[in-house]
Amino acid sequence: MLGGQTTVVSVADASQVGEARRAVTTACHRLGLDEGTTGAAALVTTEAATNLFKHAGGGEVLVRAVGTGVEMMAVDRGPGMSDVAASLRDGYSTTGTPGTGLGAIRRMSSFFDVYSAPGAGTAILCRVLPRGAAAGGTRMEVGAVSVPKHGEVVNGDGWMDVPTARGARVLIVDGLGHGPVANEAAHAALEAFRTAPGEAPAAAVETLHLALRSTRGAALAVADVDLEARVVRFAGVGNVAGSIWNAATSHHAVSVNGTAGHGILRTREFSYPWPAGGLLVLASDGLTTRWSLEAYPGLTARDPALVAAVLYRDHSRGRDDVTVVVLREARGSRS
């Protein structure tokens, strides 16, 4: 799947709720979704955005097209929830309001997930799909946030995942710089990856290197998660990060120095064990390197999109394009 750009709307007061609602409505219209689905997505977003300024002092709404529907996430650095289960019950409120917002959001969503910790903020995830639309169906769950530098219209980063019979292959690319020239490089890498879906990671990086010759160049990485062999094969070049996590261990993948599209690359492919409950996290250098999932108890059990959103919220540099892609074995897929 070609990873789409994430639309970000800052919400600090009531006047910005409408902007968030319009962002998700626009995404629905671009997908050609019916009025009922569009209306549900708009209501979900309105409730979530209103909660941001009422309960958290502000935050961000993240909107992205996912398959046949839309995904909306709301993230904040507010007081968090001490009891998530209680907060989802109608009638529960900490501010004297009717207490129907979070429960209503869950009911109107095709898929809902939440991560919150006292004193450390909240992230909620809602996907709204047309009635009867199938969700999932592949062996890997994939979530992402991909945001251009503030003030830029186009994103110099990009990503793509390709489901396979044994798991999934994924590309993350960071065109040098930002703006249209970086976007051109990222787009060239994505198109080349699309046309060479069966190549091993090292061979794929060589193919992308040649495809980027006429561009500014890029940092990039290709990873292949093989659930049958329980291994991740990884090849990267430049300043992109890859790591494999579960509740107990972590392995950080190695990228070689250089720039895809420039000079001569000495590509190397590395293999890492894929643990039970594993997450693969890929990030461009718009994300700081000083993060650890150990700082977020329970987050590895949440949807990959929430993992990406929390890392974006807390560790984005704020002065560059930023992309975070997270993959996990689909629950129930392992034999």
Side-chain angles (χ1 to χ4, degrees):
M1 178 182 69
L2 177 62
Q5 180 172 306
T6 305
T7 299
V8 179
V9 180
S10 295
V11 178
D13 56 51
S15 67
Q16 292 165 314
V17 172
E19 185 179 351
R21 183 174 58 250
R22 285 189 293 274
V24 80
T25 300
T26 297
C28 290
H29 288 164
R30 286 175 178 168
L31 288 168
L33 298 181
D34 60 87
E35 289 186 9
T37 304
T38 301
L43 284 171
V44 162
T45 303
T46 298
E47 290 281 358
T50 300
N51 283 346
L52 285 178
F53 76 85
K54 276 190 175 181
H55 302 292
E60 290 183 325
V61 169
L62 314 177
V63 178
R64 185 170 71 89
V66 285
T68 59
V70 293
E71 176 180 274
M72 186 282 300
M73 292 188 284
V75 297
D76 65 68
R77 296 188 178 93
M81 292 182 279
S82 58
D83 189 336
V84 172
S87 298
L88 287 167
R89 292 197 299 266
D90 288 349
Y92 179 88
S93 174
T94 59
T95 61
T97 61
T100 58
L102 207 56
I105 289 170
R106 180 170 63 172
R107 286 193 299 275
M108 288 186 291
S109 300
S110 306
F111 177 86
F112 175 88
D113 201 2
V114 58
Y115 179 77
S116 188
T122 297
I124 70 166
L125 162 66
C126 310
R127 296 191 185 106
V128 181
L129 307 176
R131 186 179 297 275
T138 60
R139 298 192 66 178
M140 301 293 294
E141 298 173 0
V142 184
V145 173
S146 187
V147 177
K149 178 184 177 183
H150 182 70
E152 294 287 353
V153 176
V154 295
N155 197 347
D157 288 357
W159 67 279
M160 180 187 297
D161 75 284
V162 178
T164 69
R166 299 172 67 96
R169 299 175 67 252
V170 61
L171 163 70
I172 184 170
V173 55
D174 178 359
L176 294 193
H178 47 81
V181 291
N183 176 263
E184 178 186 357
H187 183 72
L190 293 168
E191 287 300 311
F193 188 71
R194 190 203 305 272
T195 60
E199 291 185 328
V205 169
E206 292 287 354
T207 296
L208 301 178
H209 175 57
L210 295 175
L212 290 171
R213 288 291 194 189
S214 62
T215 73
R216 176 176 286 191
L220 55 85
V222 175
D224 185 346
V225 183
D226 186 334
L227 298 176
E228 302 296 331
R230 308 306 298 179
V231 67
V232 180
R233 300 177 182 92
F234 179 93
V237 56
N239 198 10
V240 290
S243 54
I244 301 100
W245 295 80
N246 71 356
T249 63
S250 64
H251 292 90
H252 296 283
V254 176
S255 290
V256 300
N257 293 328
T259 302
H262 293 185
I264 299 173
L265 293 184
R266 289 180 172 84
T267 307
R268 295 185 63 187
E269 186 171 305
F270 299 88
S271 294
Y272 304 93
W274 180 254
L279 289 177
L280 172 63
V281 181
L282 304 172
S284 68
D285 69 354
L287 198 76
T288 68
T289 58
R290 295 184 178 182
W291 60 267
S292 171
L293 293 181
E294 294 174 356
Y296 302 95
L299 182 58
T300 57
R302 307 265 47 94
D303 188 271
L306 274 185
V307 179
V310 169
L311 293 177
Y312 158 79
R313 178 194 69 186
D314 292 350
H315 300 284
S316 174
R317 296 184 190 276
R319 58 178 185 272
D320 198 0
D321 308 316
V322 58
T323 296
V324 187
V325 183
V326 181
L327 291 87
R328 181 181 66 200
E329 184 174 1
R331 281 172 259 201
S333 70
R334 188 174 181 182
S335 58

